[in-house]
Amino acid sequence: MEDEVDRLVAAWRRERPDLDVEPLEVLSRVSRLARHLDRARRLAFAEHQLEPWEFDVLTALRRAGTPYQLSPGQLLTQTLVTSGTMTNRIDRLAKKGLVERLPDPSDRRGVLVRLTETGRDQADEALAGLLEQERAILGELSRAQRAELASLLRQLTAPFDNIPG
């Protein structure tokens, strides 16, 4: 079965036989797949009236476990945004009734962000919708193929995820 990347690679091999274009065979497919995944994610979140960034914050809190709360600093670490951006996001989610701010009992000046019951329900429903979309994307692969692909991609991404700072 031929895909668009096969055609792209063949054209480059014809036009630039002096270059080794083999990386395109993997990374162009990863890039194209990322665009398809982004569309699927946006669709899954939109069905639950969430933006991707809202899902990221809500699910960071949901993954924290009971009582589903984190400090803004912990949310920054998990979502990779600036403190100003996080403050704005927390404000917007609080206005929608999806999170609430609470005083941090261990730091008089600090706050904790807690997922509301409505926020937890929306996060859970959006996650289920996302997983349905992602299963469809992976539908052509067997369980063993998915495990092998996950392992290979882990090898590629781990060095980026484990850079200090």
Side-chain angles (χ1 to χ4, degrees):
M1 173 172 41
E2 188 176 73
D3 68 1
E4 186 60 31
V5 174
D6 289 321
R7 292 183 281 281
L8 179 145
V9 168
W12 279 122
R13 284 190 172 134
R14 183 187 67 242
E15 295 300 316
R16 292 295 310 267
D18 57 311
L19 294 178
D20 175 11
V21 296
E22 183 183 30
L24 294 175
E25 294 187 74
V26 173
L27 299 178
S28 289
R29 286 186 175 97
V30 169
S31 178
R32 293 174 69 78
L33 184 59
R35 284 189 291 252
H36 291 296
L37 179 57
D38 186 54
R39 276 190 225 123
R41 289 172 60 89
R42 287 183 183 282
L43 176 65
F45 303 151
E47 288 176 2
H48 300 283
Q49 294 77 49
L50 291 175
E51 294 292 328
W53 67 265
E54 292 173 312
F55 177 82
D56 291 344
V57 174
L58 295 178
T59 55
L61 292 165
R62 180 67 171 96
R63 287 190 312 269
T66 303
Y68 310 115
Q69 66 188 27
L70 295 169
S71 71
Q74 290 170 310
L75 284 169
L76 288 174
T77 302
Q78 291 196 25
T79 59
L80 302 174
V81 298
T82 66
S83 63
T85 298
M86 183 53 67
T87 298
N88 182 299
R89 290 180 175 186
I90 294 167
D91 289 345
R92 291 170 68 185
L93 290 168
K95 262 186 202 162
K96 290 176 80 172
L98 302 176
V99 302
E100 59 186 347
R101 283 189 174 89
L102 303 169
D104 185 343
S106 64
D107 178 1
R108 282 190 8 207
R109 295 174 298 163
V111 299
L112 294 172
V113 180
R114 180 183 293 165
L115 198 56
T116 64
E117 188 174 331
T118 301
R120 190 184 73 227
D121 291 346
Q122 249 185 303
D124 286 349
E125 290 168 12
L127 177 62
L130 173 62
L131 292 171
E132 187 177 317
Q133 293 283 334
E134 290 182 348
R135 266 191 225 61
I137 288 171
L138 295 171
E140 295 294 316
L141 301 178
S142 69
R143 183 176 295 275
Q145 288 172 318
R146 290 191 306 268
E148 181 181 6
L149 180 58
S151 178
L152 292 169
L153 290 171
R154 184 179 304 108
Q155 281 182 271
L156 289 176
T157 60
F160 295 102
D161 290 344
N162 295 313
I163 295 173

